[in-house]
């Protein structure tokens, strides 16, 4: 029998060993082992996770609903906080219904395994998040993967799937709108056209777009005017929304099917009602003038870093990769940035393909101009010799 120590030694030898670390005050600055760092690691793009508005909403929801939900919603019922969140999400995403899950991962796996089976087909972008890959595998559907944003290959896969499909088969395209490790956009207008042409379904993960892009922060699909082509609008409550959980927004029949089939929904205790209450308040804030102000501040920070690092590809989103090409280089750069007072994670295989190891810089509206200038200076100093 293999011993875990042997596997850990192998992971260490490949420079892929990971450990958790305890931090406090996880905002634009955080404390780690008694030291203060400017962090560019969080997906709290609008700085809401530490906002007084959300803290107050959370406390108010605890006072009203208590702490735990007690059981699955199909066992002990739906708390008004969860119902309110789903109504807010459906209105926000311009859909008939929405269903909240305990995490984005649970939303992806629960949805894909509910709507797909062995007679169906799922076609994924190569850089889709692990939750979409795992959900596709667990569904039992036939899987095809197209190179990142390669529309020609996507069309070939759709042609092949349509030729193999029975009249009852479903063909699903799954992609992200803003990709989590590269920060680039999917060509959604063209994908929507192919989806219509081949009679496919479209699941779009807007985790890194919601709150940040489009009118009222509704996401890239709404920004590009293809919202009606999205059958399953997936997202998370833990990034720009600043709380925790995931959701699927879709037509009413699809949501009813998920309630009856999604094992990650049926067999999970509902999230704490206070989480739902705080998330509802966050969405309202995101849609307000304050949300516009925070989006403008974030966009200014994105543009500032683009100008300060002109020798690397500019980013359209709050995610900016700095490709270094191997694990040693990425770890070294991350550690040296830490010595300079900046926390920027090294992203390695299997999160990204081998040979594309990188620093992943996440920007927030909460970052000050001086912090971004300091990061850019440190990156230029450190990475020029790597």
């Amino acid at each position: 029998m293999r011993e875990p120590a042997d596997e850990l030694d192998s992971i260490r030898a490949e420079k892929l060993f990971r450990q958790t670390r305890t931090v406090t005050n996880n905002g634009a600055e955080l404390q780690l082992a008694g030291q203060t760092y400017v962090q560019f690691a969080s997906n709290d793009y609008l700085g809401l996770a530490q906002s007084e508005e959300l803290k107050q909403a959370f406390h108010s929801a605890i006072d009203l609903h208590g702490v735990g939900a007690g059981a699955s919603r199909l066992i002990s019922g739906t708390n008004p906080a969860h119902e309110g969140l789903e109504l807010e999400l459906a209105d926000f995403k311009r859909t008939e219904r929405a269903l909240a899950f305990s995490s984005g991962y649970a939303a992806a796996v629960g949805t894909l395994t509910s709507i797909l089976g062995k007679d169906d087909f799922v076609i994924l972008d190569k850089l889709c998040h692990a939750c979409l890959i795992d959900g596709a595998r667990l569904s039992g559907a036939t899987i095809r993967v197209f190179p990142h944003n390669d529309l020609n290959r996507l069309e070939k896969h759709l042609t092949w799937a349509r030729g193999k499909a029975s009249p009852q088969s479903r063909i699903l395209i799954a992609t992200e709108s803003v990709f989590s490790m590269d920060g680039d956009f999917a060509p959604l207008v063209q994908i929507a056209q192919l989806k219509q042409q081949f009679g496919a379904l479209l699941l779009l993960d807007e985790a890194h777009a919601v709150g940040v892009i489009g009118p009222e922060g509704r996401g890239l699909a709404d920004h590009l005017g293809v919202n009606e082509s999205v059958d399953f609008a997936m997202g998370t409550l833990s990034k720009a929304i600043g709380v925790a959980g995931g959701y699927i927004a879709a037509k009413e029949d699809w949501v009813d099917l998920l309630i009856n089939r999604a094992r990650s929904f049926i067999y999970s205790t509902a999230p704490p009602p206070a989480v739902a209450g705080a998330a509802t308040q966050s969405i309202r804030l995101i849609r307000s003038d304050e949300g516009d102000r925070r989006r403008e501040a974030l966009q200014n920070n994105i543009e500032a870093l683009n100008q300060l690092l002109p020798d690397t590809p500019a980013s359209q989103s709050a995610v900016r990769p700095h490709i270094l090409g191997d694990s040693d280089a990425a770890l070294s750069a991350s550690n040296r940035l830490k010595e300079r007072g900046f926390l920027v994670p090294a992203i390695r295989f299997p999160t990204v393909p081998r040979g594309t190891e990188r620093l992943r810089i996440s920007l927030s509206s909460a970052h000050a101009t001086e912090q971004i200038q300091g990061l850019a200076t440190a990156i230029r100093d450190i990475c020029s010799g790597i």
Side-chain angles (χ1 to χ4, degrees):
M1 182 177 69
R2 297 190 310 278
E3 294 296 330
D6 296 333
E7 294 181 65
L8 289 170
D9 287 343
S10 176
I11 291 171
R12 289 187 179 95
E14 294 186 72
K15 305 294 184 182
L16 298 177
F17 185 70
R18 294 162 170 85
Q19 291 177 290
T20 61
R21 52 192 175 190
T22 300
V23 301
T24 56
N25 190 27
N26 199 354
E29 293 186 347
L30 55 75
Q31 283 73 51
L32 172 63
Q35 299 293 317
T36 299
Y37 298 91
V38 182
Q39 75 134 332
F40 290 90
S42 171
N43 297 322
D44 181 21
Y45 300 128
L46 298 181
L48 290 173
Q50 298 293 323
S51 69
E52 289 303 317
E53 295 95 333
L54 263 64
K55 290 178 183 178
Q56 291 173 11
F58 201 93
H59 284 297
S60 296
I62 288 175
D63 290 341
L64 186 61
H65 302 294
V67 179
S72 162
R73 287 167 58 182
L74 296 182
I75 296 295
S76 60
T78 288
N79 186 283
H82 297 118
E83 182 180 38
L85 171 61
E86 290 168 351
L87 289 171
E88 189 73 33
L89 280 167
D91 184 68
F92 180 48
K93 295 298 292 179
R94 302 182 190 272
T95 57
E96 292 178 1
R97 290 274 298 280
L99 187 66
F101 289 78
S102 58
S103 69
Y105 190 98
V109 172
T111 299
L112 288 167
T113 55
S114 297
I115 64 175
L116 298 175
K118 63 181 179 62
D119 296 323
D120 300 320
F121 301 82
V122 56
I123 305 172
L124 303 99
D125 188 290
K126 183 177 176 62
L127 298 188
C128 275
H129 192 273
C131 63
L132 296 172
I133 296 168
D134 291 354
R137 288 172 173 168
L138 289 169
S139 74
T142 299
I143 299 172
R144 289 293 182 269
V145 177
F146 60 96
H148 180 50
N149 282 346
D150 188 330
L151 293 168
N152 289 330
R153 188 66 65 84
L154 171 58
E155 184 173 4
K156 288 180 181 178
H157 286 330
L158 285 166
T159 300
W160 174 86
R162 180 50 65 200
K164 294 284 187 180
S166 74
Q168 297 302 313
S169 296
R170 291 172 180 156
I171 300 172
L172 176 80
I173 304 166
T175 188
E176 302 179 30
S177 59
V178 176
F179 285 84
S180 61
M181 291 296 126
D182 289 77
D184 59 339
F185 293 177
L188 286 185
V189 173
Q190 296 90 333
I191 290 174
Q193 291 169 348
L194 288 172
K195 175 246 176 171
Q196 298 291 349
Q197 178 182 343
F198 287 92
L201 298 166
L202 175 59
L203 186 152
L204 182 66
D205 182 0
E206 292 252 53
H208 295 270
V210 163
V212 176
I213 296 170
E216 297 187 351
R218 287 193 181 95
L220 186 61
D222 196 81
H223 176 64
L224 296 175
V226 295
N227 212 49
E228 291 186 0
S229 294
V230 178
D231 299 283
F232 304 95
M234 175 183 149
T236 176
L237 307 172
S238 62
K239 295 179 172 60
I241 293 173
V243 192
Y247 65 86
I248 292 289
K251 290 185 176 179
E252 185 158 1
D253 282 352
W254 285 121
V255 172
D256 281 338
L257 187 65
L258 296 183
I259 289 170
N260 283 274
R261 284 191 175 171
R263 294 169 69 86
S264 58
F265 173 82
I266 297 168
Y267 298 109
S268 292
T269 295
V275 169
T280 302
Q281 179 59 30
S282 180
I283 295 167
R284 291 171 180 165
L285 190 152
I286 284 169
R287 303 177 72 177
S288 71
D289 291 343
E290 173 64 13
D292 289 338
R293 186 192 69 78
R294 288 177 183 255
R295 275 186 291 280
E296 182 179 2
L298 174 60
Q299 189 59 45
N300 289 339
N301 287 343
I302 293 168
E303 293 172 0
L305 191 60
N306 285 339
Q307 293 174 8
L308 289 164
L309 294 175
D311 296 332
T312 57
S315 178
Q316 296 176 277
S317 73
V319 176
R320 185 188 177 101
H322 194 87
I323 308 294
L324 293 168
D326 65 64
S327 292
D328 276 333
L331 286 169
S332 174
S334 181
N335 288 332
R336 291 171 67 185
L337 283 171
K338 185 179 174 185
E339 292 169 1
R340 298 274 290 263
F342 299 99
L343 206 63
V344 183
I347 306 298
R348 296 161 284 162
F349 179 84
T351 306
V352 294
R354 294 188 190 275
T356 69
E357 288 83 356
R358 67 197 63 188
L359 297 172
R360 179 185 184 269
I361 303 163
S362 295
L363 292 170
S364 168
S365 63
H367 285 125
T369 301
E370 298 77 18
Q371 293 171 329
I372 293 172
Q373 291 171 338
L375 173 69
T377 299
I379 288 176
R380 289 196 301 266
D381 292 347
I382 289 166
C383 294
S384 60
I386 293 179

